[in-house]
């Protein structure tokens, strides 16, 4: 029986090819939609930047979740809690100090952005530790409920008036309560390029793009560059998690997922492994949260409702838990089709068929269908409500996947938890050349054991 | 105090919120109290359906709201009535004004470009030139397309923008619920003229104008979510000027209005705004709640140089945005409403001890804060508790209990 | 009498003609999901007979048992019990025709008490037969001592006894036992085999899988050797015990 | 010390003692704080009374809905995240009926059936209430139960049954899908607005030392119906074989089938009992609080989970007790902490119980 | 925490110590009695499963632990290996008090157990199961597995481990199912995997809980031979088993547990003729 059966095997270029193909399809669809919607070049670029942005954040989040669930079997449905802590702590550290009269109600410590980002990740990891310590002893479904409860506690805390503002190191800081925080620090891209001394170069580049986007090209370029930045982060996440999984460390995680007592009896300090894995995942979720909200200009606690967590789960399940490639694909597919898709669909319909007068309520929509078998008002109403139905669609997709393809798009893929291929070494084991470490990124795990009897070094 | 019985609680309550959670809140209030407190609510709760939904006449409730106090209020009311067969709700006139000024500015600018529209906003709204209102919007459009200077006199106010993009003058109506007719009735009105009632701030000296073109405008208001009840009539109102222009086609101008839903949620609002930006609209009427308006302005409007003109976002923080002058609003800042409320509470309702219950967002926090400051500093009142409540809870008994109890609990 | 390794297991002893057949399995192909484990397995149990299946680990012995009880994916063949076709029937229905089954693993309700476990054994009856419980307690006194203990906290051997007891509650015509002596102390192994003899003598036919092959073959009427999901040998117990090839390959010499 | 002597095994033992100590100290502190408040007049008896009553009412709803969740949790072995939306579905179906009966001839039928979507009819205007329109309310209760039974059977049949063997987590994830689909379908049909459903019910003020506690007709209705149903379920499971079959199935499904338990029928009975109670709980919840929105059940779900886990999964007494504890915590915590943390407090209680006694208060004492 | 965090490099260095005996990486037992159990007591609710058991196991011996069902054998194993914590009593291993340590700490000190009911890691292949076992793998430190450069060390070690794994698989005759998921193995195969995996941890002492229950006799014989071989190299075995012939023919020392207490101990012959044992356990049929 083969350990793998998946689409990537039939795909030129393997996993990378598959990811590229999916991305290309998504972009093509969006460009086409833009054409129909009559977007000018600027609009097209904007829409692609937005798409890239969401692909990036969902891919990162589902990669991080894959570490928890796919590798370690930790059923974390408190993702938003870790994202929230990441962003909020980052804001607290990096927002400029308070000056009266500005739009911001409270200030921050005014430290550089990168300090804030690290602080945010550390805070998310620490929260992970706090949750993990007691909760890791619990059954998977209990852990689920504890984590989701924790994420709600985090949200309530940021909402509460008691943390709205306080003094820290002599500055007036706080979490802003229900109003949230205005993220009035240096924009992230500016901070990034300034820190490497390329800000001038970047501005020059932006100026040069005036050829394509004549007026005010900066937000467009910013959006695209930020999107690329996110994709870079996705690559880094991917690389990190793939290495984590394909290693003795990952092997222990896998064993924990299967039967913790056995791993423990074999001498593995399972609690430590679980805590490490959990904290790493939480830090990555914190980072993903930061990258998602950092450029948004403001953050409010109610963004961090549990449904965002479920979005990430849907993304992961679409791609296939246990597989990093799957996580990226799932994130991209989710972002393009389920998250952003319905808006475009609705706009397309209203553009193609303008002046449709959809009925104001379900009653008026369903009435004609019942009394005169006239489906038109109902259809119009349905299209008009596509944004609410978006979540219905997500639910149905999830159900469908669990029924028909619980292993996700990529098929039943079990990435072998080992640095090397586990095939039987040749009697005179081929001298190992050590392999180039960078090669790791491209092959996605467990090259079919049976097909690879020849070499120990598959990388 | 377990409801009205014993002493120790405040004599008055200020409730700042939106209808969706307000229904539950008032229900819980009426089942925990005998209704002896004087209650004052601001604009957010001005919805005629409240008594019906709460199942109580709500006779102890008085309200304030930015008035439709403009010179052309009647005309607008008639327009709305004709179009939708219903009385206009709160902030509808501000919506009309917001869209109307944007259309004029766009016609004057002669191109669908944010910066160009921005430069024309004050030129169209503030005094000087032909006086235009809802009744002669068509002529106004022709004139604007012709490059003429215009002074828009709106339904909600005279619509003169000050240097922050806020209305330079404001009027507030004092209203009560009319349970019989599922409506609210204004019982009084109070006007403020700012330091520069005629407005101030930078504007273009002239407008190129231009005919036979299509004007784009975005409408970004809550169709669903916590402000759905208020938002839906606002969307209707915002569409009236668009229809007017499209029917008459002044100077060959037609309008393409794109409507997006903020779902009363910042993140959904930002995505919706992004999609408007992608579609290339130069200006947007929105968004409604301050909690959404601030992030949307910062993330979508300001960097992309799109004009945002909110009809109802009243929080103080909106004035202070670093906006390169792209953010306007036709609703006055709660800086004023807080004052009006304090005055009504102290003088009209003759209450000297109050607690406030406010929705936990920009709007609620800032208005409660402002009210409390004015009430205690200028009217010698005492504010026992300022209690925040979160939207969408299934029971508010405990917050009400806190609000109704003695000082500082 | 020695048995030819290639001979079809069922062709001997005139088995096809006997009329008192209780369980008849023909051409059984079965497995899990898409994975086929058994190929063309034939097996008979006659009224009151005592049949043992032996074979290496992974041969498919348990799978055969499970297939009779409707717990695997059937891919072919048919199963008859008392002239009734029970192929593909659901387990909860098979118990009604008079078959009892003690699985190899997971054979007790661990969260229920000992007594409740026994009561569950007679679930399909309207009332709990107190005499049946009594009889089980008489056979396994430790169960009575522990009747209010959670079954899951009993020792491995105690659990095995409980599982047997549970299956006896309905006084079945055919009892399927999957390694009943595994994990039992020697006195109990002996006792268990004696009990099985007793049960058998009282008229219940037995189909049993055992790794304690020598003992099992010694006691049974007939034995099957299964390997790689196929019938290899079939003969009387003693004949199999004496067969050099069988001893060498399957009984550890 | 406040913590009952419980026998402990293995690891739990090590953490139980210090925890119990800390908990005891905290409890003593809270009690002291409360007494001090009462003594100085900061806190009033009537406050405590109304909060406790409020908590009791909430607890009954949570407990009633929790029974169903607890049963399916233990028998089908998964945490059903769509349970909250069954509550909402029950509420909408029941209230649609109530509106129809109470408002027939006084308003548009469509508006009534959609429970006044978009503010087309107000429950207050129709004068709905247990005393004013008793028939409409009772019919609503019946329909709420019946509809939710049908719904849960249908969902089980089409969605859960085919993947029943896949394990708890698969089912859990699937149930999240069901929850999304169901919730937003209801939003699609009934709109997203929160509507008031009842006229203000008559109430009596009970004078308590220093103030009044108001108790209204709907509180009493809830009390009577919830306790009646709880008793009913108790008798049903105690007097029939069903209870035992459920426990056997919860324990080892394969073996249950081998012993002849008609597992599918047991599953169906589980959904019928659980669904019925859940639907009625949904209806009563709305009757009690007086408003209805498409999110109501979902918002309640986490509290229900807290209650069920607190009580011990599979135990109906656990669900009821857990419900009361969670309800009271959520309401009464404001005596000590800011009201923004009321829900958080309930979750904290749940987490603490999970640490001290992971199997819940009533572990092992399952359905009957 | 434990010394697991300091990767010890000797794990794979002793790979080629000869064909079958290759599990040895040098048994370090210096004590005469590596395992001493004193006054061990554990009760569950009302039942005292282990009630003051006291015994010791001689270095390099194959010691049998027998007793009626419910005598407390598995519980004793659980107590020794830290799966559950005793109410009273001490466990000493290689001179160190290990009472109440966590299972992994016990395993790290060189004492590994198998489970009476085999517990395999079902969704891992047999190979992965095996690769998991060796102690103190360098790559179990996250940073080593992730950082470029350092990872080559990890790779080298993996390669060495893999060779050993295949040897052991060959020996246990489960090499043909090496790439199968462990969950798909038969009852007996699982037991083999379990024992093979335990041996790979390279312990000083192995506690085997009924390792042969359900194992085919032919294979059983082979395994026993190997256990003897290992024993000669200095490994110590404590074996729970009900098959008296097996115990009598293979163990040099037998401990009889009864109602949580040591009833008697001695050579197989002593035991065989002990009245009490016959009474309590053997039922007169030996
Ligand atoms: N649930 C399952 N899914 C997939 N394969 C299985 C499953 N159960 C058993 N198998 C496979 O079927 C084959 C036969 O298993 P079975 O349990 O019938 O063996 P057995 O003869 O009872 O062996 P043992 O004596 O070890 O119990 C084995 O190769 C095993 O790997
Ligand atoms: N968790 C527990 N709770 C309650 N009683 C238990 C628990 N674990 C074991 N026991 C009881 O302790 C006694 C000893 O059990 P143990 O499993 O150690 O026996 P054993 O000697 O291994 O028997 P066997 O040979 O049958 O496996 C038994 O009576 C058992 O019922
Ligand atoms: C629509 C209004 C009620 C919005 C409110 N004035 C706010 O600023 O949030
Ligand atoms: Mg078997
Ligand atoms: Mg045992």
């Amino acid at each position: 029986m083969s350990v793998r059966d998946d689409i990537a095997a039939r795909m030129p270029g393997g996993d990378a090819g598959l990811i590229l193909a999916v991305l290309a399809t998504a972009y093509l669809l969006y460009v086409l939609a833009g054409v129909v919607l009559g977007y000018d070049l600027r609009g097209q670029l904007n829409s692609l930047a937005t798409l890239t942005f969401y692909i990036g954040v969902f891919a990162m989040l589902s990669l991080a979740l894959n570490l928890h669930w796919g590798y370690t079997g930790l059923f974390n449905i408190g993702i938003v809690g870790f994202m929230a802590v990441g962003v909020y702590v980052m804001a607290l550290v990096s927002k400029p100090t308070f000056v009266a009269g500005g739009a911001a109600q409270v200030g921050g410590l005014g430290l550089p952005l990168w300090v804030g980002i690290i602080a945010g990740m550390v805070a998310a990891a620490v929260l992970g530790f706090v949750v993990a310590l007691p909760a890791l002893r619990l059954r998977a479904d209990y852990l689920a409920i504890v984590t989701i409860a924790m994420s709600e506690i985090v949200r309530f805390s940021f909402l509460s008036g008691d943390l709205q503002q306080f003094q820290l190191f002599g500055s007036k800081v706080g979490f802003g309560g229900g109003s949230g925080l205005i993220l009035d620090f240096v924009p992230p891209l500016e901070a990034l390029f300034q820190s490497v001394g390329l800000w001038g170069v970047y501005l020059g580049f932006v100026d040069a793009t005036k050829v394509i986007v004549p007026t005010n090209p900066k937000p467009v370029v910013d959006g695209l560059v930020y999107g690329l930045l996110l994709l870079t982060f996705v690559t880094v996440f991917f690389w990190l998690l793939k290495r984590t999984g394909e290693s003795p460390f990952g092997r222990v995680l896998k064993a924990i997922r299967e039967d913790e007592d056995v791993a423990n009896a074999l001498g593995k300090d399972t609690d430590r492994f679980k805590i490490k894995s959990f904290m790493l995942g939480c830090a990555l979720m914190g980072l993903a949260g930061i990258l998602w909200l950092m450029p948004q200009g403001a953050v409010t606690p109610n963004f961090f409702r549990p449904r965002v967590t479920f979005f990430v789960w849907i993304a992961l399940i679409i791609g296939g838990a246990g597989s990093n490639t799957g996580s990226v694909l799932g994130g991209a597919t989710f972002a393009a089709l389920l998250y952003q898709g319905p808006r475009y669909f609705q706009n397309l319909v209203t553009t193609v068929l303008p002046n449709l007068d959809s009925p104001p309520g379900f009653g008026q929509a369903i009435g004609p269908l019942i009394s005169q078998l006239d489906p038109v008002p109902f259809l119009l109403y349905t299209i008009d409500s596509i944004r609410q139905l978006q979540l219905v669609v997500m639910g149905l997709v999830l159900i469908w996947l669990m029924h028909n393809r619980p292993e996700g798009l990529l098929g039943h893929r079990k990435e072998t938890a080992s640095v090397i291929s586990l095939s039987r070494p040749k009697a005179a084991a081929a001298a190992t050349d050590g392999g180039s470490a960078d090669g790791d990124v491209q092959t996605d795990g467990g090259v079919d054991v049976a097909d690879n009897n020849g070499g120990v070094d598959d990388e | 105090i377990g409801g009205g019985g014993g002493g120790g609680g405040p004599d008055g309550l200020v409730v700042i919120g939106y209808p969706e959670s307000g229904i539950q809140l008032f229900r819980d209030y009426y089942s925990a109290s005998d209704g002896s407190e004087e209650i004052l609510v601001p604009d957010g709760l001005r919805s005629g359906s409240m008594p019906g939904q709460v199942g109580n006449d709500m006779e102890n409730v008085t309200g304030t709201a930015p008035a439709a106090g403009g010179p052309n209020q009647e005309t607008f009311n008639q327009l709305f009535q004709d179009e939708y067969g219903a009385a206009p709700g709160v902030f509808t006139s501000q919506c009309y004004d917001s869209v109307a000024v944007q259309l004029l500015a766009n016609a004057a600018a002669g191109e669908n470009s944010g910066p160009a529209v921005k430069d024309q906003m004050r030129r169209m709204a503030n005094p000087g030139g032909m006086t235009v209102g809802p009744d002669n919007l068509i002529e106004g459009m022709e004139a604007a397309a012709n490059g003429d200077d215009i002074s828009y006199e709106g339904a909600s106010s005279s619509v003169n923008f000050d240097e922050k993009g806020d209305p330079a003058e404001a009027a507030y109506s004092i209203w009560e619920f009319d349970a019989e007719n599922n409506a609210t009735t204004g019982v009084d009105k109070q006007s403020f003229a700012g330091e520069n009632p005629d407005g101030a701030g930078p504007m273009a000296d002239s407008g190129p104008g231009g005919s036979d073109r299509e004007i784009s405008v975005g409408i970004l208001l809550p169709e669903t979510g916590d402000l759905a009840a208020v938002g839906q009539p606002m969307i209707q109102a915002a569409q009236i000027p668009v229809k007017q222009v499209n029917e008459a086609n002044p100077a060959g101008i037609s309008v393409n209005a794109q409507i997006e839903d903020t779902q009363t949620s910042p993140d959904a609002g930002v995505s919706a705004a992004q999609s408007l930006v992608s579609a290339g609209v130069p200006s947007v009427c929105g968004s409604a709640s301050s909690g959404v308006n601030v992030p949307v302005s910062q993330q979508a409007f300001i960097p992309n140089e799109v004009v945002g003109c909110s009809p109802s976002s009243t929080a103080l923080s909106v004035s202070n945005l670093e906006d390169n002058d792209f953010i306007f609003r036709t609703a006055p800042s709660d800086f004023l409403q807080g004052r009006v409320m304090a005055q009504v509470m102290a003088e009209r309702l003759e209450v000297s001890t109050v607690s406030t219950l406010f929705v936990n967002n920009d709007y609620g926090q800032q208005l409660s804060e402002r009210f409390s400051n004015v009430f205690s500093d200028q009217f010698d009142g005492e504010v026992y508790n300022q209690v925040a409540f979160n939207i969408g809870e299934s029971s508010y008994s405990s917050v009400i209990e806190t609000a109704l109890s003695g000082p500082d609990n | 009498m020695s048995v030819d390794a290639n001979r079809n297991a069922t062709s001997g002893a005139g088995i096809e003609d006997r009329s008192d057949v209780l369980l008849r399995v023909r051409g059984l192909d079965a497995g899990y999901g898409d994975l086929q484990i058994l190929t063309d397995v034939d097996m008979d149990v006659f009224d009151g007979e005592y049949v043992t299946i032996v074979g290496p680990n992974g041969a498919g012995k348990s799978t055969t048992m499970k297939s009779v009880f409707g717990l695997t994916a059937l891919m072919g063949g048919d199963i008859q019990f008392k002239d009734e076709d029970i192929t593909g029937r659901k387990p909860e229905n098979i118990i009604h025709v008079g078959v009892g089954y003690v699985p190899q693993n997971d054979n007790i309700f661990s969260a229920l008490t000992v007594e409740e476990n026994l009561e569950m054994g007679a679930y399909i009856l309207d009332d709990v037969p107190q005499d049946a419980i009594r009889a089980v307690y008489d056979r396994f006194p430790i169960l009575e001592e522990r009747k209010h203990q959670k079954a899951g906290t009993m020792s491995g051997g105690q659990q095995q006894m409980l599982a047997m007891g549970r299956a006896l509650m309905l006084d079945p015509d055919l009892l399927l036992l999957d390694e009943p002596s595994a994990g039992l102390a020697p006195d109990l192994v002996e006792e268990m085999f004696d009990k099985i003899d007793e049960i058998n003598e009282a008229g219940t036919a037995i189909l049993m899988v055992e790794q304690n092959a020598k003992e099992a073959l010694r006691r049974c009427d007939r034995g099957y050797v299964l390997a790689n999901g196929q019938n290899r040998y079939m003969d009387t117990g003693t004949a199999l015990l004496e067969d050099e090839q069988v001893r060498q390959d399957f009984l550890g010499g | 010390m406040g913590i009952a002597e419980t026998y402990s095994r293995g690891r739990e033992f090590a953490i139980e003692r210090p925890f119990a100590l800390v908990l005891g100290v905290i409890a003593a502190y809270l009690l002291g704080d409360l007494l001090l408040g009462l003594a100085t007049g900061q806190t009033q008896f009537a406050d405590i009374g109304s909060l406790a009553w409020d908590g009791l009412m909430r607890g009954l709803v949570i407990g009633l809905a929790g029974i169903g969740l607890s049963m399916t949790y233990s028998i089908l072995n998964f945490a059903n995240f769509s349970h909250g939306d069954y509550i909402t579905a029950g509420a909408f179906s029941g209230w649609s009926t109530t509106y129809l009966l109470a408002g027939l001839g006084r308003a548009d039928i469509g508006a009534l059936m959609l429970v006044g979507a978009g503010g087309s009819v107000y429950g207050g205007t129709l004068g709905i209430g247990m005393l004013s329109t008793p028939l409409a309310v009772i019919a609503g209760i019946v329909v709420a139960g019946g509809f939710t039974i049908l719904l849960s059977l249908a969902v089980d049949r089409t969605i859960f049954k085919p993947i029943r063997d896949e394990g708890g987590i698969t089912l859990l994830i699937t149930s999240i899908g069901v929850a999304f689909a169901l919730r937003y379908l209801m939003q699609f049909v009934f709109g997203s607005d929160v509507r008031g459903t009842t006229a203000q019910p008559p109430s009596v003020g009970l004078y308590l030392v220093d103030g009044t506690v108001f108790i209204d007709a709907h509180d009493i209705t809830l009390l009577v119906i919830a306790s009646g149903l709880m008793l009913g379920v108790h008798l049903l499971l105690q007097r029939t074989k069903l209870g035992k079959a459920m426990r056997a199935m919860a324990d080892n499904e394969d073996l249950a089938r081998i012993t002849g338990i008609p597992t599918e029928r047991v599953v169906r009975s589980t959904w019928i009992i659980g669904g019925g109670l859940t639907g009625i709980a949904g209806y009563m919840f709305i009757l009690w609080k007086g408003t209805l929105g498409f999110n109501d059940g979902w918002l309640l779900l986490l509290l229900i989970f807290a209650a069920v886990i607190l009580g011990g999964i599979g135990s109906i007494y656990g669900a009821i007790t857990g419900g009361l504890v969670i309800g009271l915590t959520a309401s009464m915590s404001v005596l000590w902490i800011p009201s923004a943390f009321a829900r958080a407090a309930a979750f904290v209680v749940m987490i603490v119980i999970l640490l001290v006694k992971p199997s819940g208060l009533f572990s092992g004492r399952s359905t009957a | 925490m434990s010394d697991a965090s300091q990767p010890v490099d000797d794990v794979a260095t002793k790979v080629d110590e000869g064909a079958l005996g290759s599990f040895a990486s040098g048994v370090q037992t210096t004590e005469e009695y590596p395992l001493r159990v004193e006054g061990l007591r554990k009760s569950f609710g009302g039942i005292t499963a282990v009630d003051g058991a006291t015994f010791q196991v001689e270095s390099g011996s194959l010691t049998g632990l027998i007793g009626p069902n419910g005598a407390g054998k598995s519980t004793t194993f659980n107590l020794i290996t830290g799966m559950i914590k005793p109410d009273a009593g001490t466990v000493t291993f290689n001179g160190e008090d290990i009472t109440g340590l966590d299972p992994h700490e016990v395993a790290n000190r060189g004492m590994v157990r198998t489970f009476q009911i085999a517990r395999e890691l079902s969704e891992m292949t047999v190979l992965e199961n095996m690769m998991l076992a060796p102690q103190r793998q360098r790559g179990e430190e996250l940073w080593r597995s992730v950082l470029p450069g350092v990872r080559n060390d990890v790779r080298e070690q993996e390669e060495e481990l893999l060779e050993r794994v295949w040897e052991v698989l060959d020996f246990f005759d489960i090499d043909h199912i090496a790439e199968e998921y462990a969950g798909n193995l038969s009852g007996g195969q699982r037991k083999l995997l379990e024992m093979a995996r335990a041996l790979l941890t390279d312990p000083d002492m192995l506690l085997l809980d009924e390792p042969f229950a359900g194992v085919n006799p032919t294979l059983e014989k082979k395994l026993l031979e190997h256990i003897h071989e290992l024993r000669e190299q200095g490994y110590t075995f404590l074996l729970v088993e009900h098959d008296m012939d097996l115990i009598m023919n293979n163990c040099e020392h037998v401990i009889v547990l009864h109602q949580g207490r040591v009833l008697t101990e001695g050579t197989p012959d002593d035991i065989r003729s002990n009245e009490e044992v016959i009474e309590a356990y053997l039922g007169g049929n030996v």
Side-chain angles (χ1 to χ4, degrees), chain B residues 202-398:
Chain B
M203 59 171 129
D205 303 330
S206 63
S211 53
D212 299 316
R213 43 185 293 266
E214 187 183 72
I215 287 178
S216 290
V217 66
I219 297 172
L220 180 65
L221 293 170
E223 228 178 317
T224 54
D226 223 46
L227 275 178
V230 182
Q232 282 161 0
M234 288 171 66
I235 297 173
Q236 293 179 329
Q239 286 172 287
I240 295 177
V242 177
K243 285 188 179 150
Q244 283 177 303
V245 173
N246 278 340
E247 269 157 31
N249 253 328
I253 288 177
S254 64
V255 183
N256 170 18
Q258 310 223 17
I259 305 176
E260 289 277 352
D261 179 9
T262 63
Q263 304 174 13
T264 330
S265 125
D267 50 314
V270 170
S271 329
Q274 288 291 8
S275 118
L276 287 177
V277 170
S278 297
V281 300
S283 69
V284 177
C285 164
S287 35
S289 69
S290 308
V292 178
N293 194 29
V294 171
V296 161
S297 302
Q298 286 205 309
Q299 166 67 359
F301 294 162
I302 301 171
N304 286 296
E305 303 190 333
V306 168
V307 173
C309 179
S310 169
S312 63
S313 164
T314 51
L316 280 65
S317 51
V318 175
S319 314
N320 301 333
L321 285 173
E322 270 181 43
D323 61 359
N324 287 330
D325 215 21
F326 276 98
I327 304 302
F328 296 80
R329 55 178 163 181
T330 50
S333 161
D334 283 334
F335 190 78
L336 297 178
Q337 185 164 215
R339 196 183 175 287
V340 174
M341 289 176 80
Q343 188 173 0
V344 170
M345 188 57 104
E347 291 170 2
R348 187 183 175 89
L349 304 177
E350 297 179 334
V351 167
S352 59
T353 56
V354 299
S355 284
T356 69
L357 267 166
F358 60 92
V359 58
N360 193 355
N361 68 10
D362 259 340
Y363 165 60
Q365 277 178 14
Q366 294 173 15
L367 186 49
S368 166
E369 194 66 26
R370 170 76 181 154
F371 164 84
S372 302
N373 288 341
V374 179
F375 189 63
S376 43
D377 294 352
Q378 296 180 26
F379 295 96
D380 287 333
E382 192 182 345
V383 180
Y384 285 177
N385 293 303
Q386 293 191 52
V387 187
F389 65 88
N390 294 331
I391 52 181
E393 300 266 336
S394 62
S395 160
Y396 292 106
S397 323
S398 39

